């Protein structure tokens, strides 16, 4: 639970930073023969620069890639210079302000009519940071709610075993987990069935007997 909560907190903090970001789509071109880049103003902004504040180079482009994504992008870009085939990459960059962004790069080559060699690569940089962060936050919330529901189910089942068998909560969970392992039934599924059984039986010896029978054969 703590780990999930910390993840949501980090995502929320990132989303707050992104509130100042406007979705951007920038254009780019690259000449393989001269290794020269051209960026539109939006592409400079995506990388955290003012237009023409720096001269875009391959070294600069790679330096701003997240270390975990850098080699994958390098391989893709080098292959594109040979084939000229359409390509795309979703990866992380660290912009000039130290913010991590998720960008999608799409591109394709322009071939020389006579030689068939790639004379230019061109395409778009798309800042997809905000929608990715929003999607991650929504998924994290879903997972946390599901985990909380599962824990609630198990807690109720532990309570039933505690009442019917005079066990502590820890002892009740050990019994539940032991039955799960013995019969190869997930603890969560076992707990849900036990709760259903507990709801239809009165709190007396009949319930204890029925619970015992269930634990012997929960399938």
């Amino acid at each position: 639970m703590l780990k999930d909560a910390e993840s949501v907190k980090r995502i929320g903090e990132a989303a707050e930073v992104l509130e100042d970001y406007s979705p951007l789509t920038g254009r780019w071109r690259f000449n393989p023969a001269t290794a020269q880049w051209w960026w539109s103003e939006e592409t400079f902004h995506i990388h955290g620069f003012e237009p023409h504040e720096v001269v875009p180079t391959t070294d600069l482009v790679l330096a701003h890639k997240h270390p975990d994504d850098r080699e994958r992008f390098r391989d893709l870009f080098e292959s594109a210079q040979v084939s000229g085939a359409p390509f795309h990459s979703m990866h992380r960059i660290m912009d000039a302000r130290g913010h991590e962004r998720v960008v999608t790069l799409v591109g394709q080559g322009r071939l020389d009519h006579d030689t068939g060699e790639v004379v230019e690569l061109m395409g778009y940089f798309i800042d997809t940071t905000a929608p990715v962060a929003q999607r991650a936050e929504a998924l994290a919330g879903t997972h946390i709610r599901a985990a909380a529901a599962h824990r609630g189910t198990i807690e109720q089942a532990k309570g039933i075993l505690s009442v019917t068998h005079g066990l502590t909560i820890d002892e009740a969970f050990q019994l539940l987990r032991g039955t799960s392992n013995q019969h190869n039934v997930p603890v969560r599924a076992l707990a849900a069935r036990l709760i259903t059984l507990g709801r239809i039986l009165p709190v007396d010896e009949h319930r204890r007997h029925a619970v015992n029978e269930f634990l012997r054969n929960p399938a």
Side-chain angles (χ1 to χ4, degrees), residues 110-170:
R110 181 169 63 84
L111 306 182
D112 183 276
H113 290 296
D114 297 325
T115 66
E117 293 182 351
V118 178
V119 295
E120 186 177 48
L121 294 177
M122 66 194 77
Y124 298 90
F125 268 108
I126 307 166
D127 184 356
T128 50
T129 312
V132 168
Q134 291 163 1
R135 177 61 175 166
E137 185 174 12
L139 286 174
T142 299
H143 292 160
I144 288 173
R145 287 191 295 272
H150 296 160
R151 281 193 295 274
T153 299
I154 293 172
E155 290 300 320
Q156 290 182 56
K158 286 159 59 176
I160 292 173
L161 292 176
S162 179
V163 171
T164 58
H165 289 67
L167 303 173
T168 67
I169 293 299
D170 288 343

Side-chain angles (χ1 to χ4, degrees), residues 10 14 26 37 39 42 48 56 68 77 95 99 129 144 150 154 166 178 183 189 198 213:
R10 288 195 296 270
W37 286 80
W39 283 0
E42 294 82 3
D68 293 341
F77 194 70
D95 72 15
H99 297 147
T129 312
I144 288 173
H150 296 160
I154 293 172
H183 295 279
E213 289 297 318

Side-chain angles (χ1 to χ4, degrees), residues 13-133:
E13 290 171 348
E16 290 178 3
V17 172
L18 292 171
E19 287 179 356
D20 296 331
Y21 292 169
S22 299
L24 292 175
T25 297
R27 292 172 293 138
W28 62 270
R29 293 197 298 270
F30 175 76
N31 185 322
T34 63
Q36 290 183 320
W37 286 80
W38 173 86
W39 283 0
S40 70
E41 292 187 359
E42 294 82 3
T43 300
F44 279 99
H45 287 308
I46 288 172
H47 286 82
F49 296 109
E50 291 300 317
H52 312 295
E53 180 181 348
V54 295
V55 176
T57 65
T58 301
D59 286 342
L60 179 74
V61 169
L62 291 174
H64 281 278
K65 303 304 180 190
H66 189 284
D68 293 341
D69 299 339
R70 187 175 296 142
E71 290 306 314
R72 177 170 57 85
F73 176 80
R74 188 201 303 271
D75 292 342
L76 177 69
F77 194 70
E78 289 179 352
S79 296
Q81 294 178 55
V82 176
S83 71
F87 64 98
H88 71 278
S89 171
M90 176 178 282
H91 55 269
R92 295 161 292 174
I93 67 170
M94 302 300 297
D95 72 15
R97 299 183 181 88
H99 297 147
E100 181 178 307
R101 297 196 186 194
V102 179
V103 300
T104 298
L105 179 144
V106 294
Q108 67 178 46
R110 181 169 63 84
L111 306 182
D112 183 276
H113 290 296
D114 297 325
T115 66
E117 293 182 351
V118 178
V119 295
E120 186 177 48
L121 294 177
M122 66 194 77
Y124 298 90
F125 268 108
I126 307 166
D127 184 356
T128 50
T129 312
V132 168

